[in-house]
């Protein structure tokens, strides 16, 4: 995820302080990985330097100074361009799991055990996500669905790999 573009997008609703940006980010996107304050301020500093935001005001209100940031026209253009670009699909062609299966075969360990252990871990995570989805709001449901669909694809691969272990063993140990 592009933190800079996300913060720029949040600024389109109106000027905000770094604290407000962090709070809104965490509410909308950061349930599993909230932003650190340092990350917000270093990102805002970079966006300011690149002319994508400007300081809209500085307030102190009896405490430390707080800058209020506003998005610039260049920032709006940058967010629009980012939103229009499709994300590159991840083909997972260098799978750590596949590597573990092959190494298990090459070292006379049980590749079936590797697959079984992974299957159990995937199912455990699917139960957690299903429970979270059941209790969550629409945004959480969509995020969980995305993760569940990926886990389901992994499970299909685990079953396929288990069915082909004999063939794979002959190929990799030849």
């Amino acid at each position: 995820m592009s933190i800079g573009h996300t913060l720029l997008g949040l600024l389109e609703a109106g000027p905000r302080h770094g604290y407000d940006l962090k709070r809104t980010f965490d509410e909308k996107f950061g349930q599993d990985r909230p932003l650190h304050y340092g990350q917000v301020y270093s990102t805002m500093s970079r966006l300011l330097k690149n002319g994508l935001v400007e300081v809209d005001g500085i307030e102190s209100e009896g405490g430390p100074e707080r800058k209020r940031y506003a998005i610039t026209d260049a920032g709006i253009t940058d967010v629009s361009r980012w939103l229009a670009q499709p994300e590159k699909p991840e083909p997972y062609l260098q799978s750590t799991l596949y590597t573990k299966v092959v190494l298990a075969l090459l070292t006379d360990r049980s590749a079936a055990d590797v697959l079984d252990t992974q299957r159990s871990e995937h199912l455990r995570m699917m139960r957690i996500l299903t429970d979270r989805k059941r209790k969550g709001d629409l945004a959480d449901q969509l995020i969980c669905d995305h993760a569940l669909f990926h886990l389901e694809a992994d499970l299909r691969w685990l079953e396929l790999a288990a069915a082909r272990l004999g063939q794979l063993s002959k190929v990799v140990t030849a």
Side-chain angles (χ1 to χ4, degrees):
M1 171 189 306
S2 171
I3 303 301
H5 286 110
T6 305
L7 294 177
L8 283 172
L10 292 174
L11 282 172
E12 282 199 49
R16 298 177 188 219
H17 298 97
Y19 173 82
D20 296 329
L21 285 167
K22 181 208 177 331
R23 187 175 38 83
T24 304
F25 180 96
D26 290 351
E27 286 174 7
K28 302 289 183 193
F29 312 108
Q31 182 173 351
D32 295 315
R33 292 177 60 191
L35 279 180
H36 297 286
Y37 284 105
Q39 192 174 13
V40 172
Y41 293 110
S42 64
T43 302
M44 295 311 295
S45 190
R46 182 176 41 81
L47 294 172
L48 186 62
K49 180 179 142 194
N50 292 335
L52 302 177
V53 299
E54 60 191 10
V55 175
D56 186 56
I58 298 176
E59 301 167 0
S60 60
E61 297 178 17
E65 286 188 348
R66 295 177 6 160
K67 291 180 185 174
R68 188 176 53 244
Y69 297 96
I71 192 168
T72 63
D73 289 340
I76 292 170
T77 300
D78 198 53
V79 172
S80 295
R81 194 175 308 129
W82 179 68
L83 288 172
Q85 291 176 339
E87 290 297 308
K88 181 180 176 187
E90 295 293 331
Y92 301 108
L93 294 177
Q94 267 314 104
S95 167
T96 302
L97 185 54
Y98 174 77
T99 301
K100 286 183 173 186
V101 170
V102 171
L103 284 175
L105 292 170
L106 289 172
T107 59
D108 292 324
R109 291 181 173 92
S110 174
D113 286 350
V114 170
L115 293 170
D116 287 342
T117 299
Q118 192 63 49
R119 184 181 304 106
S120 294
E121 185 61 17
H122 270 61
L123 291 171
R124 183 187 72 77
M125 181 54 67
M126 289 178 84
R127 284 190 295 275
I128 290 168
L129 289 169
T130 300
D131 186 54
R132 177 176 161 182
K133 177 183 164 182
R134 195 175 302 118
K135 295 174 184 173
D137 60 10
L138 179 60
D140 217 28
Q141 291 169 11
L142 286 169
I143 289 168
C144 289
D145 279 337
H146 186 262
L148 285 165
F149 293 151
H150 282 275
L151 290 169
E152 287 173 3
D154 288 350
L155 282 175
R156 286 195 309 271
W157 182 85
L158 289 165
E159 295 302 322
L160 179 66
R164 293 182 176 174
L165 271 182
Q167 292 171 275
L168 183 60
S169 179
K170 289 177 188 171
V171 170
V172 299
T173 58

